[in-house]
Amino acid sequence: MTPKLVFFVVTGYFLVLVLISFFTSRNSDTQSFFSADKKSPWYLVAYGMIGASLSGVTFISVPGAVINDQFAYFQIVIGYLLGYFIIGAVLLPLYYRLKLVSIYGYLEQRFGFWSYKTGAFYFLLSRTIGASFRLFLAATVLQIGLFDAMGVEFWQTTIISILLIWVYTYRAGIKTIVWTDTLQTTFLLLAAVVSIYLIKDELQWSFGTMITEVQNSKYSQMFFWDINYPKHFFKQFFAGASIAVVMTGLDQDMMQKNLTCPNIKDAQKNVFWFSVVLVIVNLIFLTLGALLYIYAAEKGINLPVKTDQVFPTLAFKHFGLTAGLFFLLGIIAATYSSADSALTALTTSFCVDFLNVNDKEESERQRIVKRVHVAFSVVLILTVILFKLIQDANPKANVINSLFTAASYTYGPLLGLFTFGITTKMVVKDRWVPLVCILSPTLSYLLNLYSADLFNGFKFGFEILIVNGLFTFVGLLVLATPKKAE
């Protein structure tokens, strides 16, 4: 994998995306940018959402984390099924009934102005952090595979990465992304399957032998039952359900794709089929992780301390050319399939929720959307560079764990707001809702920090998200008035 070859692969890949953008952006307006004119086939959305949900975090960080966490992540994945059922059965019917462009419009109808702005703010914060984590991984891979050899600095790589996204999304937004996601998902899945196949062949195993070796390895423990351990099964299961609800069902980025379907039935078919396939795909990536470490041990390869660099290092420096090419296409596809939709969703939410662009003329809407799109591109660049500085100070940090930890605090208030709104008829004192949503993650952080001392060794895992949502729910109860919502 020479830098010249990497350059041509990356360039060719993005030229294809720009070409797709050219065809999908014809006759587009801001409604195309926000909702793809609600004409997306459900199966196209479901397939594309696999890549958007997995992202570069799954592609690189999940396999790398196997050395420390074994297959514990699969407990979270099983919980996803419950979460996606709630999305399909409860949230999607609500969004379609209210004909929402931004899902946080529900909070305005249910509670009022300040609840609405608070929910939209937490989405912007959460998705900026999440997208930046993913882009950080993409920039790291491009740095290892291409730009280090060219003498390009990491911050320059970050700018190039986001500029590439901007080029093919700024005109048609979600209308383009629904189609580019299908291409990106294909490359992501091919990269994982081809990598597994080539490692199997390199180790001279049959598929049966490979499965047996993975099952008998020290990496394959899937279920953990020590209640004091953060990766206890029920902690992970309910955390997974909650993560699916908040990071898909309460996330404008993921729901924006679902809401491009023509009707509720198509949107529900999309969610239910997508959730089943996602479980299978995550198991493939965990298997890949075990194989990476088994392969390295068999070949006597010294691996990087940073687990997020294990797969890129092996693919670029130790696997053959075919594996390196597929890895490169896979990581680019995995990362940009989530990052491009995140940039579009951030633009949509800010324009609709804070700038009220739907009340303006089309020419004015287009001008605002383009400016906001550029502004969020700059925000992502700065945030990715900040993450680089943080990880340099803590080289053992794992991005998948960091991502879910951040989500546990930033999505908690959204979980509490939507749960309270859907399960009760009570009205709250709207002006005090922002204070509750600031206090909830603060209390959750402090509780998590001292949980071992307070609860006889008990430590929270990602289920601190549920606690965060519960604090928000209780805070809303305190603000409740006797009057009931209509």
Side-chain angles (χ1 to χ4, degrees):
M1 289 293 293
T2 65
K4 182 182 290 187
L5 179 58
V6 173
F7 174 81
F8 281 117
V9 171
V10 173
T11 302
Y13 180 83
F14 278 99
L15 284 176
V16 173
L17 294 184
V18 171
L19 184 63
I20 293 173
S21 174
F22 173 77
F23 286 109
T24 57
S25 63
R26 289 184 297 181
N27 302 318
S28 295
D29 56 16
T30 51
Q31 290 308 309
S32 303
F33 190 100
F34 296 152
S35 64
D37 304 314
K38 289 194 175 294
K39 294 181 180 179
S40 301
W42 71 266
Y43 47 85
L44 194 71
V45 177
Y47 184 68
M49 279 182 64
I50 295 170
S53 298
L54 294 175
S55 77
V57 175
T58 302
F59 192 83
I60 289 180
S61 199
V62 168
V66 164
I67 191 170
N68 296 319
D69 300 334
Q70 293 83 48
F71 279 21
Y73 180 67
F74 196 70
Q75 299 174 129
I76 292 178
V77 175
I78 296 172
Y80 286 169
L81 292 173
L82 174 60
Y84 288 124
F85 176 79
I86 294 171
I87 292 168
V90 178
L91 294 177
L92 278 177
L94 175 68
Y95 298 154
Y96 269 85
R97 177 169 57 82
L98 298 178
K99 299 179 180 179
L100 299 175
V101 174
S102 167
I103 63 174
Y104 309 110
Y106 163 74
L107 296 175
E108 183 175 36
Q109 296 183 37
R110 179 63 179 83
F111 297 122
F113 174 85
W114 289 108
S115 300
Y116 169 40
K117 300 303 181 184
T118 301
F121 166 77
Y122 268 104
F123 162 71
L124 294 176
L125 176 64
S126 304
R127 183 45 68 178
T128 298
I129 293 172
S132 298
F133 272 126
R134 293 171 172 91
L135 283 165
F136 170 75
L137 280 179
T140 299
V141 170
L142 290 178
Q143 192 72 29
I144 293 171
L146 175 61
F147 292 117
D148 272 341
M150 299 172 64
V152 176
E153 298 291 334
F154 182 84
W155 65 270
Q156 296 170 313
T157 303
T158 302
I159 293 174
I160 293 169
S161 298
I162 295 177
L163 179 62
L164 290 171
I165 293 175
W166 184 86
V167 165
Y168 70 87
T169 60
Y170 81 98
R171 286 187 295 184
I174 197 68
K175 185 178 180 181
T176 293
I177 286 166
V178 167
W179 289 94
T180 57
D181 274 359
T182 60
L183 176 71
Q184 293 169 325
T185 297
T186 300
F187 281 124
L188 183 152
L189 296 178
L190 277 175
V193 172
V194 168
S195 296
I196 290 173
Y197 180 83
L198 292 175
I199 292 173
K200 173 194 74 70
D201 270 12
E202 183 70 20
L203 295 174
Q204 299 181 344
W205 289 345
S206 65
F207 274 108
T209 302
M210 179 189 74
I211 293 171
T212 301
E213 291 290 336
V214 170
Q215 287 177 335
N216 293 335
S217 73
K218 62 182 180 181
Y219 308 110
S220 64
Q221 184 177 351
M222 187 176 292
F223 300 109
F224 297 81
W225 303 103
D226 181 356
I227 191 63
N228 290 325
Y229 186 48
K231 301 191 183 303
H232 178 267
F233 173 78
F234 286 110
K235 292 181 185 181
Q236 297 286 83
F237 175 82
F238 288 111
S242 302
I243 287 168
V245 169
V246 298
M247 295 187 73
T248 300
L250 304 183
D251 185 281
Q252 176 65 23
D253 181 3
M254 299 303 293
M255 283 295 98
Q256 193 168 353
K257 294 183 177 70
N258 283 274
L259 295 176
T260 64
C261 293
N263 54 64
I264 180 61
K265 289 185 177 179
D266 280 0
Q268 287 174 321
K269 282 190 287 187
N270 158 45
V271 167
F272 294 144
W273 277 106
F274 152 75
S275 64
V276 173
V277 174
L278 193 63
V279 171
I280 299 170
V281 171
N282 273 286
L283 184 58
I284 291 173
F285 275 99
L286 287 168
T287 301
L288 173 60
L291 287 172
L292 291 175
Y293 287 106
I294 292 171
Y295 175 86
E298 289 282 337
K299 300 296 181 179
I301 298 171
N302 292 322
L303 295 175
V305 174
K306 298 178 181 179
T307 60
D308 294 326
Q309 293 184 6
V310 168
F311 194 6
T313 300
L314 288 174
F316 284 138
K317 298 181 179 180
H318 298 281
F319 292 168
L321 179 61
T322 301
L325 283 172
F326 273 98
F327 169 81
L328 180 61
L329 287 170
I331 184 54
I332 294 172
T335 301
Y336 289 105
S337 65
S338 59
D340 55 14
S341 61
L343 180 57
T344 300
L346 289 167
T347 301
T348 299
S349 178
F350 193 79
C351 288
V352 174
D353 297 326
F354 289 95
L355 301 182
N356 302 315
V357 295
N358 286 332
D359 298 333
K360 305 181 187 300
E361 295 293 329
E362 175 61 25
S363 59
E364 179 71 1
R365 285 203 298 264
Q366 290 191 13
R367 183 181 66 83
I368 292 172
V369 167
K370 289 178 180 179
R371 290 184 176 181
V372 172
H373 209 52
V374 171
F376 272 110
S377 298
V378 174
V379 170
L380 290 178
I381 289 170
L382 296 176
T383 310
V384 170
I385 293 172
L386 176 62
F387 286 164
K388 171 65 173 173
L389 296 175
I390 292 172
Q391 198 195 50
D392 285 346
N394 184 18
K396 292 187 178 181
N398 179 268
V399 173
I400 189 70
N401 291 331
S402 301
L403 175 61
F404 285 157
T405 299
S408 298
Y409 294 107
T410 57
Y411 279 99
L414 283 172
L415 179 61
L417 282 167
F418 275 84
T419 302
F420 189 90
I422 292 169
T423 60
T424 77
K425 295 291 184 181
M426 289 181 278
V427 175
V428 300
K429 297 173 184 176
D430 178 55
R431 67 182 180 276
W432 294 106
V433 168
L435 178 61
V436 168
C437 292
I438 292 172
L439 289 175
S440 297
T442 303
L443 291 173
S444 300
Y445 175 79
L446 293 173
L447 181 64
N448 189 35
L449 191 64
Y450 297 106
S451 63
D453 296 328
L454 293 171
F455 305 117
N456 194 31
F458 179 89
K459 293 182 180 180
F460 286 101
F462 300 136
E463 77 280 1
I464 194 68
L465 167 64
I466 302 173
V467 176
N468 194 355
L470 183 61
F471 278 140
T472 304
F473 191 99
V474 172
L476 295 174
L477 277 177
V478 174
L479 298 180
T481 65
K483 181 181 176 182
K484 292 186 177 181
E486 296 180 1

